[in-house]
Amino acid sequence: MKIFINSDYTKLPAANKETVSVQIYSRDGVVSKNGKRPREDIATIGKPIYDAIKRLGVTISDDVMDFLTISLAVTAADTFIERDVCFDGWTRNINLSVSLINPQVWDNNKPLLEKALQFLSGDVWNLNFEKDGPKPPQPFQAVNGRRLINLKGLDSVSLFSGGLDSAIGVIDLLTSGNKPLLISHSYKGDKSKQDAIALKIQGKGIFSRLRSSANPIGRGIPRDITMRTRSLNFLAFSLVGAYAVKKVNNYNKLSIFVPENGFISLNAPLTSRRVGSLSTRTTHPYFIEMIQQLFDNVGFGVELKNPYQFMTKGEMVSGCKDFNTLSAIIDLTVSCSHWKRKNRQCGYCVPCMIRRSSLIQSNLKETISYHHGTFPTLRDFVKNKKDGRDDVNSVLLAIDKSKNGRLKSWVLKSGRLNSCDLDKYERVFLNGLLEVERFLKREKVI
């Protein structure tokens, strides 16, 4: 499949069964004029983030803009090219052509970027960078009562998704005296959760927020729902924010925090069938390492950090630096991989089991109810239902297999890891399984 990305819809080729055309940062190619749209065959992406950047009050650099454009182009390809049409139902061969401001910079880093994308999404990526890409937006001015995002005095950037891990990350930063810019990538339903958490932590420290979304729209164009590359948008938005914070405060280097518990970050395959399609790599150390190398090569002056790389979710919860604040927001956080289907956390997917087990360890109480919580019991759900049992059974098989040892070779199946830290990865993986085992024993599943 070929996919073309351009901010000028007149430069996009006609779409067909093998070609997808996407206008980036604008929707003038699909807005009706005199009752007729200029183009009926194109999708769009990136208009919300383009407008949100203006509120930073800073003109971002061309290279930062190019990375944002690349990340959105990748998300467009990930969204509008279905996996079902592939020979194995998963691996796509994606030929992506995108216009950039400085294509030579990215040509020099193309092998690294293609490798990182292949690791992230499980696809084969072929990138083609053209010239005359979209320029950074002109920032808004603070006039006529318009409020800009306050960047003065901030000292870091942190991802803020509305999940439990990101909430702990922000609480710990604020308690430690940091003043972060929080970055939110908001899909439908996420924004209200993120806003509610942010409201609860106001007064706990100084922070500001940059929140937006990629917003891919394609009328009648089939969509893939795996969203493997969403994390690239998160990192691109964070880079935009980091550049603005650096510029306003005259920093040479800035930390971007990516708070994720080590068990999920590592995400070693629980069973052999989860090695590929069911094993996400959003914050895997190898992926983060490749993106860090890319950022260093281009000279962005940022450092990606996950302070919880060698901590389980239970250890994150227990070690939170402000347990009272965490208790106050726990019901607002979301961990479930299925919650948008019913606007309720399911209680049985792997992230839900890890969440529930982490709260048991720390004796942190939540009042929300799960779709499959204590009534009907998780045990009865596993016994009587067909849908969803795969997650529970996969965890049960992994727990049983972990008793046999040989965990180092197991965790390495998730991807390349630094050999010096292999013992730590082994420990966090084993302890993560033990936490879930205690939860399943309590539910009498084991």
Side-chain angles (χ1 to χ4, degrees):
M1 290 290 294
K2 297 179 181 179
I3 182 163
F4 295 86
I5 313 292
N6 203 299
S7 58
D8 184 348
Y9 70 86
T10 65
K11 295 181 180 179
L12 291 168
N16 53 48
K17 291 182 178 180
E18 296 181 351
T19 301
V20 179
S21 290
V22 182
Q23 183 179 23
I24 193 169
Y25 301 130
S26 176
R27 303 196 73 245
D28 63 354
V30 298
V31 175
S32 295
K33 299 173 182 177
N34 300 320
K36 185 178 180 181
R37 294 189 180 95
R39 294 286 295 266
E40 296 287 347
D41 62 329
I42 63 173
T44 62
I45 195 170
K47 185 66 165 63
I49 185 61
Y50 189 85
D51 293 339
I53 292 172
K54 298 176 183 178
R55 295 187 58 245
L56 291 170
V58 171
T59 302
I60 62 174
S61 73
D62 289 351
D63 288 338
V64 170
M65 187 67 185
D66 275 348
F67 184 74
L68 177 64
T69 299
I70 291 169
S71 79
L72 292 168
V74 167
T75 296
D78 196 18
T79 302
F80 298 122
I81 299 178
E82 292 184 289
R83 293 189 185 275
D84 291 346
V85 301
C86 303
F87 74 96
D88 62 355
W90 183 260
T91 308
R92 300 166 293 188
N93 194 319
I94 299 173
N95 296 282
L96 172 60
S97 181
V98 55
S99 296
L100 302 176
I101 304 168
N102 298 318
Q104 186 59 53
V105 171
W106 303 100
D107 276 329
N108 294 340
N109 290 281
K110 185 160 64 173
L112 175 60
L113 185 53
E114 288 176 341
K115 183 169 68 171
L117 292 176
Q118 183 170 348
F119 181 80
L120 178 64
S121 73
D123 303 300
V124 177
W125 292 84
N126 304 283
L127 304 178
N128 180 42
F129 302 126
E130 304 286 350
K131 61 181 182 179
D132 298 326
K135 293 283 188 179
Q138 289 299 308
F140 286 138
Q141 302 297 317
V143 295
N144 299 324
R146 176 182 284 148
R147 297 182 63 182
L148 305 183
I149 298 173
N150 183 22
L151 303 176
K152 193 68 176 177
L154 301 187
D155 58 13
S156 55
V157 166
S158 186
L159 275 58
F160 184 61
S161 66
L164 179 54
D165 288 7
S166 75
I168 292 173
V170 172
I171 290 172
D172 286 352
L173 283 173
L174 295 177
T175 305
S176 300
N178 289 88
K179 301 171 184 177
L181 174 66
L182 307 185
I183 305 294
S184 296
H185 186 278
S186 305
Y187 279 85
K188 184 179 180 180
D190 293 338
K191 183 178 182 297
S192 60
K193 298 285 186 181
Q194 295 161 357
D195 290 348
I197 295 170
L199 186 62
K200 285 281 188 179
I201 61 176
Q202 281 185 358
K204 304 299 180 180
I206 296 173
F207 65 90
S208 294
R209 296 178 63 199
L210 169 63
R211 52 193 186 273
S212 190
S213 67
N215 197 34
I217 301 174
R219 303 176 316 281
I221 299 177
R223 296 169 65 100
D224 194 85
I225 62 172
T226 53
M227 294 197 306
R228 283 299 186 84
T229 62
R230 181 189 181 191
S231 59
L232 197 67
N233 289 159
F234 242 137
L235 294 175
F237 293 3
S238 298
L239 181 64
V240 169
Y243 179 87
V245 171
K246 285 175 56 183
K247 189 170 184 179
V248 168
N249 296 284
N250 297 314
Y251 297 136
N252 292 321
K253 197 164 188 176
L254 201 76
S255 294
I256 296 176
F257 291 97
V258 185
E260 183 88 270
N261 74 83
F263 185 75
I264 284 290
S265 173
L266 186 61
N267 211 357
L270 298 175
T271 65
S272 58
R273 68 183 296 269
R274 286 178 174 256
V275 171
S277 62
L278 295 176
S279 184
T280 58
R281 292 161 168 172
T282 301
T283 61
H284 190 279
Y286 184 42
F287 175 68
I288 295 297
E289 176 186 319
M290 286 188 282
I291 297 300
Q292 181 67 67
Q293 183 180 342
L294 180 71
F295 285 0
D296 291 345
N297 290 350
V298 183
F300 286 137
V302 298
E303 184 177 5
L304 300 172
K305 294 181 177 180
N306 180 3
Y308 311 103
Q309 186 66 68
F310 302 112
M311 297 173 65
T312 66
K313 201 181 196 82
E315 290 167 344
M316 282 186 68
V317 173
S318 300
C320 181
K321 296 180 179 179
D322 185 346
F323 205 74
N324 289 335
T325 299
L326 181 59
S327 298
I329 67 169
I330 182 62
D331 287 354
L332 299 170
T333 65
V334 173
S335 304
C336 181
S337 58
H338 303 144
W339 80 277
K340 291 181 184 177
R341 299 176 188 175
K342 298 180 181 295
N343 198 29
R344 188 181 183 188
Q345 300 191 85
C346 72
Y348 64 80
C349 67
V350 172
C352 270
M353 286 187 284
I354 293 172
R355 173 193 176 95
R356 297 173 74 179
S357 64
S358 73
L359 301 186
I360 291 172
Q361 175 164 317
S362 59
N363 200 31
L364 179 61
K365 306 296 184 182
E366 59 181 344
T367 62
I368 60 170
S369 62
Y370 294 88
H371 188 64
H372 291 286
T374 56
F375 185 79
T377 66
L378 186 62
R379 178 189 62 219
D380 291 339
F381 169 74
V382 173
K383 180 180 178 181
N384 300 321
K385 302 290 183 180
K386 291 182 180 180
D387 297 334
R389 288 189 301 174
D390 180 69
D391 279 35
V392 180
N393 288 335
S394 294
V395 169
L396 292 174
L397 288 170
I399 290 170
D400 186 60
K401 181 181 175 182
S402 68
K403 311 301 183 185
N404 300 325
R406 300 189 296 276
L407 295 182
K408 285 187 174 65
S409 59
W410 189 352
V411 298
L412 282 170
K413 291 180 180 178
S414 70
R416 198 174 79 182
L417 298 167
N418 189 325
S419 59
C420 297
D421 293 325
L422 202 51
D423 286 341
K424 297 179 184 178
Y425 290 121
E426 180 185 33
R427 186 203 70 84
V428 75
F429 179 61
L430 177 59
N431 287 351
L433 285 176
L434 291 175
E435 285 182 10
V436 179
E437 181 181 26
R438 286 191 288 271
F439 163 69
L440 293 177
K441 283 181 176 178
R442 190 195 72 163
E443 296 294 323
K444 296 183 173 58
V445 175
I446 299 179

